[in-house]
Amino acid sequence: MRKVLGLMAMFVLMGAGLAFAAEGGAATQLGFGFLGAVVLGACLGVGIAASGCGVGMGHATRGACEGIARNPELAGKLTVTMILGLAFIEALTLYALVLGFYLIFAKLGSFMALAGLGG
């Protein structure tokens, strides 16, 4: 549990560095406001999804290894099923990553235009 919380804290701190990084121009006017909240939200979403999927992958792999240890004749079927399950779990993380990119790059321009900051 400590490792999961440590990884989540690491993702938050890495994302906060991006959120607080502001260069001149319109970004300076925003401060941490909306731009920082969007970046921080995207980073938190991807970080939580990645940590949750990592835990799920660990449980799936552990279960497959225990099943193979109990019944070695089913190793081929269990391996194929485990790899399929891991692919589905990994897809959830990729969905979160795509949503994070969508928030940052696709929607940010329209929100900045509404705020009168250009874009």
Side-chain angles (χ1 to χ4, degrees):
M1 186 67 181
R2 282 186 167 176
K3 289 182 181 181
V4 172
L5 290 176
L7 284 174
M8 286 175 51
M10 183 180 72
F11 283 121
V12 168
L13 292 175
M14 286 176 20
L18 292 174
F20 286 119
E23 295 181 10
T28 306
Q29 294 174 355
L30 272 178
F32 180 71
F34 188 76
L35 175 64
V38 168
V39 171
L40 187 62
C43 289
L44 279 174
V46 172
I48 291 171
S51 63
C53 288
V55 170
M57 285 182 173
H59 285 296
T61 306
R62 183 190 66 195
C65 288
E66 288 175 357
I68 291 171
R70 290 180 184 169
N71 194 356
E73 294 89 28
L74 293 177
K77 289 182 181 180
L78 281 176
T79 302
V80 169
T81 306
M82 180 191 69
I83 290 174
L84 183 65
L86 292 178
F88 288 144
I89 293 170
E90 187 68 28
L92 296 174
T93 304
L94 294 176
Y95 290 148
L97 182 66
V98 167
L99 182 64
F101 283 149
Y102 178 72
L103 281 174
I104 293 173
F105 295 114
K107 288 293 184 182
L108 192 59
S110 61
F111 288 133
M112 289 182 69
L114 286 174
L117 298 171

